[in-house]
Amino acid sequence: MNHNAKPARGFIRDPNFLWMLAGGITSMLGDQFTLVALPWLVLQMSHDTLTLGIVLALLGIPRALFMLIGGAVVDRYDPKSVMMITKYINTVLLAILVVALLTSSLSMWMIYLIALLLGLSTAFSIPAGTSMLPRVVAAEHLQAANGMMLGLRQVTFFLGPLMAGGLIALLGDHATASQATAVLGIADSKGLAMAFFVDCFSYAFSAWTLSHVRMLSIKTEQSAVKQSLISATMDGLRHCWNDSMMRSCFLYWSAIAFLIMGPMQIAMPLLAQQIGNNAGVLGLLAGAHGAGTLLGMALSSVFPKLRLGSLGSTILLIDTLVALLFIPMGLIHVAWKGAAILLAIGALGGYLHVAVFTWIQRQVPPAMLGRAMSIFMFIFMGISPVSAALTGWIMHSISLSQLFAGSGALLIVIVVIALLMSPIRYMRDAGGVT
């Protein structure tokens, strides 16, 4: 017992891990400010869901096109170096956005360009970030480090949107809304500029902390190093496709990302407008979802073996419950009701988050990890923004309540198809099938 407790204390106090943790948490908290501020900025300027969809697509399309290659770049080069470069780029882009807002020189073409470049940078930073931890902590501490990083990440998902929404509302220049409309059409320009500045600072600070992180050496197959990026990327795709369980799960999650998560990126700001037309409401809704996810992850560590049969059948059950909660959300006109439902949805999803993340890491050999994680992250961060653009166009023809009801119904259809036509229900925690 004593022998096992000692390494745990050493792991938590390891300066190398603490440098990475400090920068990672700061950067993730800053990201939440942009995730709240950017859609609110676009809606303030354009008052158009299609424009919001285009901006989200410009964030997602370069991720979709380059994330898989980004995974191959990370496997070939040092993920720390890739991460450092992307942090410098994002710092500059957000600084430009802040200055343009404060000087009333911002236009939609600038937002389009900044969104495109942020998406391109993220295509490399995501696989780099998800591949760094195995090179920072010893293998025996990987699961504990994953749990800590993911748990603290969810704390930022809870606190970040609340802080961002509150900051924008507090500094919002509603008293001069008519004047702002004549210049940029933005009533919250000061609050929005401060929100983007927080994220800008977080990137600069996390680049500094990352410079203190020492990477552990990991054995890499020479053949993988000598491969071209395209060839290495195709090897990663082939590996995931040839694993029947991973192929089924990735296809299932792709359908959810396109038909559910993409529409949600448009629906959440519109729901906030419907409830109170206030950035603080959007922060409350996003914060409630983050708090629920954190609660679900905490329950997952307390009851790690709680399943309805296999891990796969538990995933299908949880997605069914999420769909049932999702359907009535478009009828909500009170903030606390929307927050309560999103808290429950977040808790259900958060319960399985660590298990699924660890399942993928155990399914894939270390030399393929960057590429496999880039495919996994591509599904959720590459596909859904493209779907959001399509949703923005569809919203010209349907109501918000129809969008929520339709998305929930589609999720139920996806679950039924997966139950009847895939091996997902046999998926077990250790990887493979039961």
Side-chain angles (χ1 to χ4, degrees):
M1 195 75 168
N2 231 359
H3 176 73
N4 290 335
K6 217 168 181 183
R9 285 199 302 271
F11 154 65
I12 293 171
R13 296 174 184 175
D14 180 5
N16 199 42
F17 174 71
L18 292 177
W19 277 116
M20 180 181 173
L21 183 68
I25 296 304
T26 303
S27 182
M28 287 187 283
L29 184 64
D31 285 345
Q32 299 308 305
F33 281 74
T34 292
L35 289 174
V36 170
L38 186 59
W40 197 253
L41 170 64
V42 174
L43 286 177
Q44 288 275 359
M45 289 184 67
S46 68
H47 309 285
D48 181 30
T49 56
L50 178 58
T51 303
L52 175 58
I54 292 172
V55 171
L56 294 175
L58 288 170
L59 278 169
I61 288 172
R63 281 198 297 237
L65 293 177
F66 291 97
M67 191 180 292
L68 301 182
I69 294 177
V73 170
V74 168
D75 282 339
R76 171 177 290 192
Y77 302 105
D78 179 8
K80 174 183 171 180
S81 301
V82 175
M83 182 71 82
M84 291 283 286
I85 292 170
T86 62
K87 286 185 182 295
Y88 292 142
I89 291 171
N90 291 351
T91 300
V92 171
L93 291 173
L94 288 166
I96 292 171
L97 185 54
V98 170
V99 172
L101 263 171
L102 292 178
T103 58
S104 299
S105 57
L106 185 65
S107 57
M108 280 309 304
W109 74 263
M110 293 175 66
I111 295 179
Y112 288 150
L113 180 59
I114 289 172
L116 181 69
L117 294 174
L118 283 172
L120 183 60
S121 172
T122 307
F124 293 87
S125 68
I126 289 173
T130 55
S131 301
M132 273 196 66
L133 200 56
R135 302 167 194 250
V136 173
V137 301
E140 61 268 24
H141 298 315
L142 181 58
Q143 183 158 350
N146 263 330
M148 182 177 292
M149 288 292 289
L150 290 171
L152 290 173
R153 178 180 177 228
Q154 290 310 132
V155 173
T156 69
F157 282 11
F158 164 53
L159 293 178
L162 293 176
M163 294 167 64
L167 180 67
I168 295 169
L170 181 65
L171 299 180
D173 41 358
H174 293 287
T176 59
S178 58
Q179 183 182 4
T181 302
V183 180
L184 284 176
I186 306 172
D188 292 319
S189 57
K190 292 178 183 176
L192 288 164
M194 183 56 69
F196 290 122
F197 173 77
V198 170
D199 196 16
C200 177
F201 171 81
S202 76
Y203 276 114
F205 177 80
S206 60
W208 175 70
T209 60
L210 186 59
S211 68
H212 292 78
V213 175
R214 293 176 292 103
M215 303 290 285
L216 302 176
S217 59
I218 287 184
K219 292 180 181 177
T220 310
E221 295 175 13
Q222 280 298 348
S223 58
V225 174
K226 293 177 180 178
Q227 278 182 306
S228 70
L229 292 178
I230 298 298
S231 176
T233 301
M234 293 306 298
D235 274 356
L237 288 169
R238 273 192 295 270
H239 176 85
C240 293
W241 184 261
N242 291 335
D243 185 319
S244 61
M245 184 60 72
M246 188 168 286
R247 178 177 69 242
S248 299
C249 289
F250 279 12
L251 290 174
Y252 173 74
W253 291 325
S254 296
I256 291 178
F258 187 80
L259 296 171
I260 306 298
M261 298 184 69
M264 270 299 295
Q265 294 187 38
I266 299 293
M268 291 301 294
L270 293 179
L271 182 61
Q273 281 191 330
Q274 175 176 290
I275 291 174
N277 196 25
N278 188 295
V281 175
L282 178 57
L284 174 64
L285 295 176
H289 184 266
T293 307
L294 178 61
L295 174 62
M297 295 176 92
L299 291 173
S300 182
S301 25
V302 175
F303 306 105
K305 302 298 183 184
L306 182 60
R307 300 283 185 265
L308 182 72
S310 65
L311 172 62
S313 60
T314 306
I315 290 174
L316 297 177
L317 172 64
I318 283 180
D319 284 340
T320 302
L321 294 175
V322 167
L324 294 175
L325 289 169
F326 210 70
I327 288 172
M329 280 196 65
L331 303 175
I332 291 171
H333 290 83
V334 182
W336 72 263
K337 292 182 179 179
I341 292 179
L342 285 167
L343 182 76
I345 290 174
L348 290 168
Y351 185 82
L352 292 176
H353 193 94
V354 177
V356 168
F357 202 81
T358 306
W359 178 82
I360 294 172
Q361 288 181 325
R362 287 174 174 170
Q363 284 281 103
V364 179
M368 199 73 69
L369 184 59
R371 281 162 284 182
M373 293 309 298
S374 71
I375 296 169
F376 178 66
M377 299 307 293
F378 158 80
I379 289 172
F380 293 105
M381 304 192 76
I383 294 177
S384 56
V386 178
S387 170
L390 179 61
T391 304
W393 173 70
I394 292 173
M395 285 304 296
H396 287 174
S397 307
I398 65 173
S399 67
L400 184 61
S401 59
Q402 289 172 329
L403 176 64
F404 275 110
S407 294
L410 281 172
L411 180 51
I412 292 175
V413 171
I414 293 170
V415 169
V416 171
I417 292 173
L419 180 65
L420 298 177
M421 302 178 64
S422 81
I424 291 177
R425 65 184 181 274
Y426 302 119
M427 171 186 174
R428 57 184 170 91
D429 288 84
V433 296
T434 55

